[in-house]
Amino acid sequence: MLRGIRKASSNWIGKTIMTIVMGLLIVAFGFWGIADIFRGFGQSTLATIGHTEISVTDFRDIYTNRLREIGRQQGRPLTPEQARKSGIDRMILNQTIDEATLDETISRLGLAQSDAQIENAILSDPRFRNAAGVFDQARYEAMLYQMNTRNQRYRADLRQQGLRQQMMGSVIAGLEPSKTLVTMLTRYLTEERRIDYITLGSAVAGDIPAPTDEVLKTYFATERLQFSAPEYRSISFLTINPEEVAKTITIADSDARAQFARRKDSLSKPERRQVHRILFPSMEEAAAARARLTQGLSFDALATERGADPADANHGLVTKADILDPVVADAAFALHLGEISQPIQGMFGVALVKVDEIEPGREASYDDVANDMKHELALEKAATGLTDLRNRMEDEHGAGSSVIESAQKLGLTAVTIDAVDRSGRGPDGQLIAAIPAGLDLVAKAFDSKVSMDNDPISFRGGYVWFDVLSVTAPRERELAEVRSQVEERWRQTQIAQKLREKAAELRQQLKDGRPMNDVATGIGVRLETSPPLTRSGKTELPRAVLAAVFKTARDSIGQATVDDRIILFRVTDITEPAVDPASETSRNMRLGLLRVMNDEQMSAFVRRLSEEIGFKINESAFDQVTGANQQWPLRGKGQTIAGLPLKPTEVKYLPEVKELPTSRRAERSRPTRPKPGNSDNVCKLK
């Protein structure tokens, strides 16, 4: 074909025709989206800061990992929709831009870290050390596997983090909060208050007569929406993860023994000893001291006598590898229990060593860890099997098969849930046990629609595919369906009203001078006295009570509502302790203020850098990663995005799509998705 093109363009007529053809092709490419390049963005670029690019692939990894991290901190998964509503998506984008801004500045300044520094950082990381305290290559590789990264990428990230820390250190050097501010805030936090209090529970409200039918009907008519049936969804899902794949893999005993041989040192438990050591300037002085120690003088007394801290002479319970001086280490691990060594010429001087405790080591046995070795190898092999199974599942699902159909073709079993609401509960009000803890399936299902092609959810190193099979719309229930719940809710409302009335009556009595003990006796409750309370200290009292106490003056009456109780209290004492600048509280306050100042200083510094360097954001790529259907304003000055509203745009949702008949499921059009693991969009930071 190329020869034909060259031949056709060999004369002026052919050249003219080829020019026209190529011009039409360029215009066509413009319609296909290549115009993004002329607007400053490649198809895989999400943002640029100077010459540094943030790729869509890199930002997707960052975004997913940080949402997962926030979810772990909160104790529940964080959905992309929740992230958008709370502005977390923009917060993560801004943080990523800040990091890229630092990287661009580092590049412009020509800062660098040597390979030796990176090597030392890895070797000194305790996460990569075995039980003997030595760097373990197998442990290092396993940790990288868990972090879903490779050696080269991890080293590059480590290098960049080190350079950022160096720059940040120079920016925040010399910051220090004022002593006056530290003293004032410390006094605020350490102020102590004491209260006398009584608790008004349901018993104080007295008997609540059963409601008449007319009363119950009136209450139900007013609160009808509270008793409505929620929206339910029927979903099916399939989980494929390394653990599941590993169960199908058989490991030969010979392979497990080879794995054990490689891991034996890290699996064994080294001997540990309680070692004491004192240094002396000469052999003679050490020998004289040893004579006194054998006559009953303790190591601590000898250290004190020589002007040293006894704690410095105590190495603690250590392994042989923990002792830096090899001569001392050999001597310490050759001694019997309680024995004192002869004077030893070590690296740092003449030493006397004593062993007070010996914790025997244990050599690992293959029989003890055979199952663990086989499980480790099965998980390693499962990574390859998982990729193959994932690709086959994507092929089936992408071709139009439902999750149930795709699972059947692969010889797997999908789970079907007939009805689940947004809280993960079934019609009986109980949590659906079939949904694994930590799997953000319900929120994803309620963001989807019937027969919609959904992306798989990453979960425990694997993937979860799901379909929404049907939707049961929310509806208002009739009184007969929920009569017992309505009656109980009405009763709780009556109790709360009576408690509020009783609390108002008792507060007035206390203000009129009636002793609190008499008030407590009159309603049959116990008067209690609190220990000293501080704003941030631990206490058995609920936080709502603590907040109310520190808003109430001395000898004044306050109250706080906690669940179905009301707590009445009188502030009996307020004490402002003297502030000791050397106390732990003052030191912690200073460190906390210093962290805030450092953050503010770095934030202002990076913001100024980003304004000077300039940055651009590919909004369509950002929306693609975060699943955004509305835009929010960006932070920073000097950046104008055409058409970006100051408030979230109103979104109108289409009516719910009902489930297609089975005969039509195969006819629906599914977009073709790229194969997982495609590495075309690899981020390159210049």
Side-chain angles (χ1 to χ4, degrees):
M1 184 180 72
L2 291 176
R3 283 199 300 269
I5 292 174
R6 285 197 295 269
K7 184 177 180 180
S9 59
S10 61
N11 53 56
W12 69 270
I13 297 176
K15 290 179 179 178
T16 303
I17 293 173
M18 291 306 299
T19 300
I20 295 172
V21 170
M22 295 305 295
L24 291 174
L25 285 174
I26 292 172
V27 172
F29 285 145
F31 285 108
W32 292 347
I34 201 170
D36 281 344
I37 295 175
F38 299 102
R39 292 197 294 265
F41 293 106
Q43 291 180 345
S44 62
T45 303
L46 185 134
T48 59
I49 302 90
H51 295 292
T52 300
E53 292 186 356
I54 301 172
S55 76
V56 171
T57 303
D58 263 17
F59 183 73
R60 181 181 288 111
D61 292 342
I62 293 169
Y63 187 69
T64 302
N65 290 337
R66 293 194 181 171
L67 286 192
R68 191 178 296 125
E69 182 181 349
I70 294 171
R72 284 196 298 266
Q73 293 173 354
Q74 293 180 341
R76 56 184 174 82
L78 182 69
T79 67
E81 181 183 7
Q82 292 170 332
R84 292 194 301 273
K85 288 181 178 178
S86 58
I88 292 176
D89 57 343
R90 287 289 171 183
M91 179 192 73
I92 296 174
L93 174 63
N94 290 339
Q95 290 175 349
T96 308
I97 290 175
D98 287 348
E99 291 172 357
T101 301
L102 287 176
D103 294 343
E104 174 69 13
T105 306
I106 288 167
S107 176
R108 294 186 178 195
L109 293 175
L111 303 181
Q113 273 194 326
S114 67
D115 292 338
Q117 289 176 298
I118 303 304
E119 198 75 22
N120 288 335
I122 294 174
L123 293 176
S124 61
D125 193 326
R127 295 177 300 171
F128 306 142
R129 293 184 175 184
N130 57 25
V134 180
F135 175 78
D136 187 335
Q137 182 68 29
R139 190 180 184 90
Y140 172 68
E141 293 173 358
M143 288 291 292
L144 293 190
Y145 177 78
Q146 292 178 13
M147 292 187 287
N148 194 28
T149 188
R150 298 183 301 275
N151 178 49
Q152 186 176 0
R153 179 60 182 272
Y154 179 74
R155 287 171 178 265
D157 290 344
L158 199 62
R159 188 188 306 276
Q160 211 61 33
Q161 290 172 12
L163 291 171
R164 290 173 192 160
Q165 289 173 358
Q166 288 182 22
M167 176 168 285
M168 291 166 62
S170 64
V171 172
I172 63 178
L175 290 179
E176 186 67 32
S178 70
K179 294 181 180 179
T180 302
L181 180 59
V182 172
T183 300
M184 289 176 60
L185 290 178
T186 303
R187 182 176 291 118
Y188 176 82
L189 288 180
T190 56
E191 176 189 319
E192 294 180 348
R193 297 193 177 199
R194 289 178 172 82
I195 61 171
D196 290 338
Y197 65 97
I198 57 177
T199 302
L200 310 182
S202 57
V204 176
D207 293 332
I208 306 295
T212 64
D213 287 345
E214 193 61 34
V215 169
L216 207 59
K217 287 178 181 179
T218 302
Y219 178 75
F220 179 70
T222 304
E223 306 293 337
R224 189 183 189 103
L225 290 178
Q226 295 187 37
F227 303 98
S228 297
E231 176 183 321
Y232 287 104
R233 298 201 168 199
S234 175
I235 58 178
S236 61
F237 68 94
L238 174 68
T239 302
I240 299 177
N241 58 38
E243 285 289 345
E244 295 298 323
V245 177
K247 293 176 183 177
T248 66
I249 298 175
T250 301
I251 301 297
D253 195 61
S254 58
D255 293 337
R257 287 186 179 276
Q259 175 77 343
F260 171 73
R262 291 189 294 269
R263 297 278 315 281
K264 185 175 181 179
D265 289 342
S266 63
L267 295 171
S268 298
K269 180 182 177 183
E271 178 184 326
R272 297 199 302 171
R273 295 188 169 204
Q274 181 82 28
V275 177
H276 291 266
R277 182 189 67 169
I278 296 180
L279 295 175
F280 299 88
S282 66
M283 284 285 187
E284 294 75 13
E285 192 170 345
R290 184 180 186 279
R292 296 177 63 198
L293 289 171
T294 56
Q295 294 172 5
L297 181 67
S298 70
F299 254 68
D300 288 350
L302 180 60
T304 303
E305 181 182 302
R306 297 181 60 81
D309 187 344
D312 294 336
N314 186 354
H315 281 264
L317 202 59
V318 295
T319 65
K320 190 173 183 179
D322 291 331
I323 301 176
L324 185 60
D325 190 330
V327 177
V328 172
D330 290 340
F333 277 77
L335 293 173
H336 296 295
L337 182 63
E339 185 180 358
I340 300 171
S341 72
Q342 295 293 332
I344 304 166
Q345 181 61 58
M347 293 172 57
F348 308 105
V350 180
L352 288 179
V353 178
K354 181 185 178 185
V355 175
D356 283 343
E357 181 184 347
I358 298 177
E359 185 181 278
R362 181 180 58 83
E363 185 173 337
S365 165
Y366 172 73
D367 293 335
D368 293 339
V369 296
N371 291 334
D372 294 336
M373 295 298 98
K374 291 181 179 181
H375 183 64
E376 284 183 10
L377 290 173
L379 283 177
E380 291 176 6
K381 292 189 176 183
T384 304
L386 177 66
T387 301
D388 178 63
L389 200 57
R390 177 191 62 190
N391 290 340
R392 291 168 58 196
M393 181 65 190
E394 283 289 279
D395 289 341
E396 294 294 341
H397 199 215
S401 298
S402 67
V403 167
I404 295 176
E405 295 165 348
S406 301
Q408 289 174 345
K409 292 178 181 179
L410 298 179
L412 304 173
T413 303
V415 177
T416 299
I417 299 173
D418 294 330
V420 61
D421 65 12
R422 288 183 181 272
S423 68
R425 301 176 186 274
D428 60 356
Q430 301 300 313
L431 290 171
I432 301 296
I435 301 177
L439 175 59
D440 187 23
L441 175 63
V442 173
K444 297 280 188 183
F446 273 83
D447 283 340
S448 180
K449 299 187 182 299
V450 173
S451 300
M452 182 177 178
D453 185 21
N454 302 296
D455 290 329
I457 305 170
S458 297
F459 181 63
R460 293 179 182 173
Y463 305 89
V464 177
W465 287 264
F466 71 96
D467 280 338
V468 178
L469 305 178
S470 63
V471 175
T472 302
R475 65 180 181 85
E476 292 186 358
R477 292 188 175 109
E478 298 300 323
L479 177 59
E481 298 178 73
V482 290
R483 185 181 182 90
S484 60
Q485 295 97 305
V486 174
E487 187 168 345
E488 179 60 25
R489 183 75 60 82
W490 175 87
R491 181 175 177 276
Q492 294 299 328
T493 302
Q494 296 302 304
I495 290 174
Q497 178 62 31
K498 286 186 174 294
L499 285 181
R500 287 194 294 270
E501 294 172 356
K502 191 65 175 178
E505 174 189 335
L506 296 178
R507 286 190 68 170
Q508 188 58 51
Q509 292 180 17
L510 293 170
K511 289 179 180 179
D512 291 342
R514 186 181 181 188
M516 183 169 276
N517 192 41
D518 290 351
V519 170
T521 302
I523 59 174
V525 299
R526 183 163 59 95
L527 176 65
E528 299 182 76
T529 299
S530 75
L533 304 173
T534 61
R535 285 181 170 87
S536 59
K538 294 182 179 180
T539 174
E540 295 181 358
L541 290 172
R543 303 304 299 182
V545 176
L546 202 61
V549 166
F550 280 89
K551 293 179 181 178
T552 306
R554 188 197 302 268
D555 295 327
S556 296
I557 306 298
Q559 77 177 57
T561 302
V562 181
D563 299 327
D564 55 352
R565 299 168 293 153
I566 294 179
I567 296 178
L568 279 180
F569 63 85
R570 183 195 300 275
V571 178
T572 58
D573 186 38
I574 298 177
T575 304
E576 291 187 357
V579 176
D580 178 8
S583 68
E584 183 179 359
T585 303
S586 294
R587 289 197 301 270
N588 291 339
M589 176 59 67
R590 174 190 163 275
L591 292 175
L593 287 171
L594 186 57
R595 280 193 294 270
V596 172
M597 294 172 65
N598 290 343
D599 290 344
E600 291 180 348
Q601 181 90 335
M602 277 306 305
S603 178
F605 174 71
V606 174
R607 188 179 301 114
R608 180 61 182 271
L609 285 177
S610 65
E611 291 171 3
E612 292 179 353
I613 297 172
F615 62 91
K616 297 178 182 178
I617 297 174
N618 186 344
E619 284 294 322
S620 61
F622 177 73
D623 290 349
Q624 173 192 345
V625 172
T626 62
N629 51 21
Q630 55 190 11
Q631 292 180 319
W632 297 77
L634 290 172
R635 69 100 170 93
K637 299 178 181 179
Q639 177 79 358
T640 304
I641 304 295
L644 187 65
L646 294 179
K647 296 181 179 179
T649 55
E650 181 181 358
V651 179
K652 296 183 178 179
Y653 294 94
L654 295 175
E656 186 65 65
V657 180
K658 301 301 180 182
E659 182 183 9
L660 294 173
T662 305
S663 61
R664 293 178 57 195
R665 284 187 66 98
E667 299 174 6
R668 71 177 185 242
S669 174
R670 288 181 182 262
T672 301
R673 290 183 288 186
K675 295 283 188 185
N678 192 328
S679 59
D680 293 342
N681 296 330
V682 177
C683 172
K684 294 182 179 180
L685 295 181
K686 298 181 179 179

